Amino acid sequence: MIKKDFPILRETVNGKPLVWFDNAATTQKPQSVIDRIAYFYEHENSNIHRAAHELAARASDAYEAAREKVKTFLNASSVNEIVFVRGATEGINLVAQSWGDHNLVAGDEIIVSNLEHHANIVPWKRLADKKGLKLRVIPVDDDGQILLDEYSKLLNSKTRLVAFTQVSNALGTVTPAKEIVKMAHAVGAKVLIDGAQSVSHMKVDVQDLNPDWLVFSGHKLFGPTGIGALYGKEELLNEMEPYQAGGNMIQDVTFEEIKYHKAPNRFEAGTGNIADAIGLGAAIDYVTKLGIDAIGQYEHQLLDYATKLLKEIPGVRLIGTAKNKASVLSFNLQGYTNDQVGQALNREGVAVRTGHHCAQPILRRMGVETTVRPSLAFYNTTEDVDTFIKTLWELKKVRF
């Protein structure tokens, strides 16, 4: 049973077995990832790329092997297209500062969708305010689905960048990513995809999708926190200005001139998060062994099971009812605040997220400020869902 691979899932909360339904916030880690990080510190710990001794070679080999695993996982053309960052947020900020700040001028337009996480809104809004850019928003329908006809109306010769999520963290909506990219490129715009919520649920092939950049976070892919990756087309990365400056990203330094490395090193200044990059590689190994298509199929069945049962509870309003969804269920329960629902679930060992999920614009579009958000992963079971549903029914019996 897959649950046995995740030691934290043997924990109890309030005397009850832990049911981890907060996967959109962060996923739990299999023993193989934990062991790989421990092995690094026990046998390989060294800085990388900078010494002739044995441990430096071991650490450098392991770090670059992890980059190769990310490249294969995303089907990138080259390891030079994979930059290690702290996570999706840093990846977006890197593009905003390294490309956006140096290439966009007053009057240029950036398009984002109404579904975005704050991490894919705030960097662009800050840049727009700084440089006199126009930020435009792709609307969604009442189910939380992108309106492609409205998107097409936003695109014009001033559109320089389209930045959007492949899967909404607040609603679970799967966006028509390939079509959005193609439409943006048709007017000469660059495209960034936020893949933080998609890479753990579905195959993400950057050669097929054809974005200019794609970002994701390791901790949402059963890997460590504080590590993620930015994919970027190699030629484009090499045209971009360095994001940070220091060691590891330079070819030569004099007081008169600095020569930078090409990608990816030009964007990896200083000592990186070596151990957790290697841990991310181990997480990709684990997911690859299970099979991302099998994961997606199982999670879809579990989502359908949970959705059907949730809809049967009187007073539940499901927020986000797109036809194509990943494993997120946002809802409100009549008669209770979202925090009260979350606390009741916690008493039964069920961990869910309550709040605005760093996605206030889309929740307000749906007419709410906050939701309860259970989010599923492949180690969850129908029994976990039953515990969750049973608790909600008991809440209804108390009030009505």
Side-chain angles (χ1 to χ4, degrees), residues 308-318 331-336 389 392-397 399-400:
K308 178 179 179 294
L309 294 176
L310 189 60
K311 284 181 174 180
E312 292 172 357
I313 301 172
V316 163
R317 181 194 169 197
L318 197 58
F331 71 95
N332 298 138
L333 180 62
Q334 184 183 0
Y336 290 91
I389 294 293
L392 296 182
W393 272 109
E394 288 171 352
L395 284 176
K396 292 302 296 182
K397 289 174 186 175
R399 285 286 164 94
F400 297 97

Side-chain angles (χ1 to χ4, degrees), residues 375-389:
S375 47
L376 313 176
F378 58 74
Y379 44 59
N380 296 130
T381 63
T382 54
E383 289 79 12
D384 292 340
V385 172
D386 292 343
T387 300
F388 160 71
I389 294 293

